[in-house]
């Protein structure tokens, strides 16, 4: 089969022929139709992720058709169109993941391959309103945003929500979830174009965080926020505390801008703020996310679909950070 291979952090990606996986006891083989990139794949390619092993087939997002089943698995799954939940071995509790938790695509081979071996409990029927490419865009970022917004922040229609770094997959799903829930939503970005695109999707407005006094200007326009969903951290996090309303909830799912700077604990306790971390999600979170997507007929925002043979070019686009939405590769194009 063809697969996108990362042999080391010092070598570029390459599409190669490798041996097909074998459907062992209690597993299924999914013939992939589409897969999607996440920032996790980029960090792995740069050697900036814990527990990296090489060579590795990356990829946490994917959708396809069940082609084979191992012994002990119902043959009724054969031919089903499915997407894969990449959040595996979460554990017994809902509050946090267990010691054996892992994400598909490292340490186990991921979705950028023509065939993927996975336990049947991690496959889910594709919602009827989605294509393979749209379904492939959903799992990791959709799950991360769902847990942050609903399981952690307990977001509801009365909330005014701020989402930072709009354009990335998780941020866009958080925007879509909040809008479909009936919230008033504002966004930040360093790109005026991305802010305009978010407004076209339904955001009330946005602010370029590269501008001086951006937080004060945003607060004067929008007011304070009861929910803030952040994937950046860095020196701008103190401004999010300023923007939070009394009793506000700030959920952090990433830290692309680095360590926090100049945070005032007085503002945190005086405002009665709740600061929460959130990583991926449990199986219950995934089921909740899928139900929300089906009920609301949410369609993931896809920036561009590449042929599988151009997976390296797709990865480069993702690494450059110019995308608005998910970067997807299709096994049905040019392969």
């Amino acid at each position: 089969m063809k697969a996108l291979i990362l042999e080391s952090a010092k070598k570029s990606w390459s599409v190669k022929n490798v041996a097909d996986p074998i459907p062992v006891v209690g597993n299924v083989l999914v013939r992939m139709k589409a897969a999607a990139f996440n920032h996790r794949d980029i960090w792995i390619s740069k050697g900036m992720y814990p527990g990296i092993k090489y060579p590795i087939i990356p990829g946490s997002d994917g959708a396809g058709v069940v082609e084979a089943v191992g012994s002990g698995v119902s043959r009724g799954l054969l031919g089903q169109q499915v997407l894969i939940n990449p959040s595996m071995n979460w554990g017994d509790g809902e509050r946090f993941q267990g010691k054996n938790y892992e994400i598909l695509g490292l340490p186990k081979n991921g979705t950028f391959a023509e065939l993927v071996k996975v336990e049947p409990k991690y496959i889910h029927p594709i919602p009827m309103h989605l294509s393979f490419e749209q379904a492939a865009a959903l799992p990791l970022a959709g799950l991360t945003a769902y847990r942050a917004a609903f399981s952690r922040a307990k977001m509801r229609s009365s909330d005014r929500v701020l989402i930072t770094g709009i354009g990335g997959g998780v941020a866009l799903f958080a925007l879509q979830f909040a809008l479909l829930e009936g919230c008033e939503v504002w966004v930040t970005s360093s790109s005026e174009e991305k802010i305009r695109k978010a407004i076209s999707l339904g955001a009330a407005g946005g602010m370029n965080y590269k501008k001086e006094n951006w937080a004060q200007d945003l607060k004067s326009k929008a007011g304070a926020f009861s929910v803030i969903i952040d994937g950046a951290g860095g020196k701008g996090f103190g401004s999010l505390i300023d923007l939070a309303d009394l009793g506000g909830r700030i959920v952090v799912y990433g830290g692309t801008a680095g360590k926090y700077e100049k945070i005032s604990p007085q503002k945190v306790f005086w405002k009665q703020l709740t600061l929460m971390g959130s990583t991926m999600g449990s199986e219950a979170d995934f089921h909740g996310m899928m139900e929300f997507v089906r009920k609301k007929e949410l369609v993931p925002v896809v920036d561009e679909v590449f042929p599988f043979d151009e997976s390296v070019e797709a990865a480069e686009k993702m690494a450059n950070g110019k995308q608005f939405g998910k970067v997807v590769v299709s096994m049905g194009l040019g392969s």
Side-chain angles (χ1 to χ4, degrees), residues 158-162 219 222-228 239-250 267-275:
S158 58
D159 285 314
R160 179 182 293 127
V161 179
L162 176 63
K219 193 168 187 178
F225 295 91
S226 52
V227 171
I228 299 175
S239 296
L240 301 185
I241 291 175
D242 292 336
L243 286 163
D245 203 353
L246 293 172
R249 295 95 74 199
I250 302 177
K267 292 178 181 178
V268 175
F269 67 69
W270 185 252
K271 285 187 171 185
Q272 307 272 351
L273 300 182
T274 301
L275 307 182

Side-chain angles (χ1 to χ4, degrees), residues 33-266:
K33 297 296 185 180
F37 280 96
N38 292 284
H39 279 106
R40 180 177 191 261
D41 303 309
I42 305 305
W43 299 134
I44 291 171
S45 75
K46 294 179 179 180
M48 299 170 62
Y49 203 88
I52 296 177
K53 72 176 186 68
Y54 300 108
I56 187 72
I57 299 172
S60 302
D61 285 337
V65 177
V66 178
E67 182 169 289
V69 300
S71 60
V73 179
S74 170
R75 295 185 60 82
L77 294 174
L78 290 170
Q80 285 195 14
Q81 297 183 0
V82 298
L83 52 75
I84 300 172
N85 174 8
S87 187
M88 298 179 170
N89 302 323
W90 178 267
D92 297 329
E94 288 297 315
R95 291 179 56 237
F96 51 85
Q97 66 273 29
K99 292 182 179 180
N100 296 322
Y101 178 70
E102 62 184 43
I103 302 171
L104 183 63
L106 185 78
K108 294 178 181 176
N109 284 330
T111 57
F112 287 106
E114 291 181 309
L115 290 168
V116 174
K117 181 173 66 176
V118 66
E119 293 181 54
K121 67 180 179 179
Y122 296 121
I123 60 174
H124 294 255
I126 293 175
M128 294 183 65
H129 68 284
L130 297 182
S131 66
F132 282 116
E133 290 76 19
Q134 292 164 340
L138 179 60
L140 186 145
L143 175 62
T144 302
Y146 184 90
R147 180 174 176 86
F150 293 111
S151 302
R152 301 292 281 150
K154 307 297 183 185
M155 184 178 69
R156 52 191 182 270
S157 60
S158 58
D159 285 314
R160 179 182 293 127
V161 179
L162 176 63
I163 299 167
T164 68
I166 201 65
V170 178
L172 276 169
F173 277 115
L175 171 64
Q176 290 181 289
F177 290 152
L179 291 172
L180 289 170
E181 189 66 12
C183 301
E184 176 187 337
V185 190
W186 294 70
V187 300
T188 71
S189 175
S190 61
S191 165
E192 297 290 346
E193 180 183 4
K194 289 183 180 181
I195 292 172
R196 287 193 294 270
K197 288 181 177 180
I199 292 172
S200 72
L201 291 175
M207 189 63 61
N208 189 326
Y209 60 77
K210 293 292 186 180
K211 292 183 177 180
E212 190 175 359
N213 300 319
W214 70 269
Q216 296 94 315
D217 292 343
L218 178 56
K219 193 168 187 178
S220 67
K221 286 185 175 182
F225 295 91
S226 52
V227 171
I228 299 175
I229 299 176
D230 178 54
K235 63 182 180 181
F237 191 79
S239 296
L240 301 185
I241 291 175
D242 292 336
L243 286 163
D245 203 353
L246 293 172
R249 295 95 74 199
I250 302 177
V251 184
V252 178
Y253 66 85
T256 56
K259 295 180 180 180
Y260 299 144
E261 298 179 19
K262 298 179 181 179
I263 294 177
S264 169
Q266 290 83 0

